[in-house]
Amino acid sequence: MENASHILFEQIFSGSTLFKNQQDLVNQLIKDPETLYHIAESDIHDYSKAQSRLKTYISQLLSDNTTRNITEDLKSGLIVLLKKKKAINVKEAENIVIKIIDALKVQNSKNSKSEIKSSVRDQLIADLNEATYIAIITSKPLQIEIESEVNFFSLRTFLFKDLLNILGDDTKDLKKYRFNFPMDSYGYLFWRGLRRILTEFITKHNKNNTLSILLKVLYNKFALKTHTLSESESKAKFTNEEVENLVDEILILLNRNRFIMVFHTKAPIYGMPQIILNPTDPRNMKVYSLLEDEKNELYIFKYPEQDSILWRIFVWDKLKSKDFVGEEIPYSKDI
């Protein structure tokens, strides 16, 4: 597969390269009003801040030593820029962007680690920690809880602790989370619960005078707008309404960039709750099922490699098709 840097900065398309270098790519993404990175050059403070953030992100994305997620904003921004190049037609522009994104995915994929674990439960937790994409299929509402018994594995507790931990840690890149529910009402309950948990998280930082630090971390993860960060720098404390607005913005951006996705489908996929790790990466995909008996004891089953491959072919690939994907439930302030 072609190297992303080669396609972006070295490969010749009708007599010229797509971009001169990383800085040229950053500048074009920010200057073009049709991209989601756009900041007016007249707004010197925000422009410089956005330029620095995007430059760091692009550099890390193309690095052999750093792993970063590829945002939908970057993909759409590249399509906008390439469609405007006179020597490249619309279809060719889209195909070139697909090649770039595919090359970046390969470059940023993590190698699987040794699986010497003491138990299936420990193995699941280790795999959840290492995964970059977690898909959940469950027929029950995923109630939001933060506290749970230490010795009892709680999927919902793990997922939301994991998300909050990543959001607040500038050394960790965001994971992708996809949830499939059999009823749209479960999706709405999920978003409301997540909004409540995130509000508590932001409020805690607000009370501890650490919110400004957290917002800078979120900004670098593309979970906060440049304008919002600039406005926040002059605030010592945030009102409850301002905290609510921050939470809405964070969830909207996480959803828009496909880091958190919620789907409602009536396809017959709901038996035991399933956890699918890295479903888009055949080399590192793992499938687990959870079974709770009448005594509330939890049993965890890991699919053998061959069964995981079959599950991907007969369930995951079908689930992404138009016939079975169902309806996405996007985050909205009105949920």
Side-chain angles (χ1 to χ4, degrees):
M1 179 174 286
E2 294 179 90
N3 180 274
S5 293
H6 175 76
I7 301 173
L8 288 165
F9 313 121
E10 299 174 23
Q11 189 170 338
I12 303 299
F13 295 90
S14 301
S16 65
T17 58
L18 297 177
F19 305 97
K20 297 177 183 178
N21 47 43
Q22 290 185 27
Q23 188 63 58
D24 181 40
L25 170 58
V26 169
N27 291 341
Q28 290 195 43
L29 284 169
I30 294 177
K31 289 179 180 179
D32 195 302
E34 293 184 30
T35 75
L36 293 167
Y37 297 110
H38 175 64
I39 300 288
E41 287 187 78
S42 57
D43 194 341
I44 299 174
H45 179 69
D46 281 3
Y47 185 88
S48 176
K49 192 183 297 293
Q51 190 179 47
S52 176
R53 174 180 68 157
L54 190 55
K55 183 177 180 181
T56 299
Y57 173 64
I58 296 295
S59 176
Q60 292 176 343
L61 199 60
L62 295 170
S63 169
D64 292 327
N65 303 317
T66 307
T67 299
R68 291 299 305 267
N69 281 311
I70 303 159
T71 66
E72 289 295 313
D73 288 359
L74 176 63
K75 182 178 178 180
S76 63
L78 286 171
I79 291 175
V80 166
L81 296 181
L82 266 59
K83 283 182 177 180
K84 293 184 176 181
K85 295 186 179 295
K86 295 181 180 179
I88 300 176
N89 60 45
V90 173
K91 186 62 177 177
E92 185 182 6
E94 293 174 346
N95 289 335
I96 292 171
V97 171
I98 290 173
K99 287 183 179 180
I100 294 169
I101 298 300
D102 286 345
L104 287 173
K105 286 179 179 178
V106 170
Q107 188 168 337
N108 281 270
S109 64
K110 296 181 179 177
N111 294 324
S112 59
K113 298 182 179 180
S114 174
E115 292 187 0
I116 304 175
K117 314 289 189 328
S118 59
S119 69
V120 177
R121 175 185 177 278
D122 292 339
Q123 187 174 336
L124 170 59
I125 292 173
D127 287 340
L128 281 165
N129 282 320
E130 292 175 11
T132 58
Y133 187 165
I134 301 174
I136 306 296
I137 296 176
T138 176
S139 60
K140 299 179 180 179
L142 196 64
Q143 296 171 342
I144 312 300
E145 297 175 352
I146 288 299
E147 300 301 330
S148 69
E149 298 178 22
V150 175
N151 295 322
F152 183 82
F153 174 75
S154 169
L155 176 60
R156 48 186 174 265
T157 299
F158 176 90
L159 288 172
F160 294 102
K161 279 187 174 180
D162 187 51
L163 174 60
L164 295 181
N165 181 43
I166 291 173
L167 287 177
D169 190 336
D170 61 353
T171 67
K172 296 181 178 180
D173 200 17
L174 289 167
K175 296 181 181 181
K176 288 188 176 182
Y177 304 86
R178 171 176 172 145
F179 300 89
N180 273 91
F181 299 110
M183 298 176 63
D184 55 3
S185 59
Y186 291 1
Y188 300 135
L189 286 172
F190 167 85
W191 281 123
R192 290 171 195 156
L194 180 55
R195 179 168 58 196
R196 187 181 73 248
I197 292 298
L198 188 54
T199 300
E200 292 173 1
F201 181 67
I202 297 293
T203 300
K204 181 178 179 180
H205 280 276
N206 192 33
K207 290 179 179 178
N208 295 339
N209 297 315
T210 56
L211 186 53
S212 61
I213 299 173
L214 175 64
L215 295 184
K216 289 178 182 177
V217 174
L218 291 169
Y219 176 74
N220 288 329
K221 294 178 186 289
F222 294 90
L224 201 70
K225 295 177 181 177
T226 302
H227 177 68
T228 304
L229 181 65
S230 295
E231 281 193 335
S232 72
E233 291 174 341
S234 61
K235 297 180 183 294
K237 289 284 186 180
F238 288 75
T239 65
N240 290 339
E241 183 179 358
E242 288 171 334
V243 167
E244 290 175 2
N245 290 336
L246 282 174
V247 170
D248 283 332
E249 182 173 319
I250 293 166
L251 290 177
I252 287 171
L253 290 176
L254 289 175
N255 183 214
R256 188 178 80 189
N257 277 308
R258 320 307 286 155
F259 289 118
I260 303 178
M261 297 165 278
V262 179
F263 287 86
H264 152 235
T265 176
K266 295 181 179 179
I269 56 174
Y270 304 100
M272 292 185 292
Q274 290 185 312
I275 306 170
I276 306 93
L277 309 177
N278 303 319
T280 59
D281 183 358
R283 296 171 300 174
N284 295 314
M285 188 188 78
K286 298 178 176 68
V287 182
Y288 287 87
S289 284
L290 307 180
L291 176 63
E292 190 173 322
D293 67 12
E294 65 275 6
K295 296 180 181 179
N296 293 325
E297 292 185 8
L298 185 69
Y299 296 89
I300 302 172
F301 303 92
K302 183 181 179 182
Y303 285 32
E305 182 178 355
Q306 185 63 36
D307 288 343
S308 294
I309 294 171
L310 293 174
W311 186 93
R312 187 175 191 273
I313 294 171
F314 294 115
V315 181
W316 180 256
D317 289 346
K318 294 287 186 182
L319 196 58
K320 294 189 297 179
S321 68
K322 291 182 179 179
D323 293 334
F324 297 103
V325 69
E327 178 184 355
E328 182 171 4
I329 304 173
Y331 178 75
S332 168
K333 297 178 181 180
D334 299 325
I335 284 180

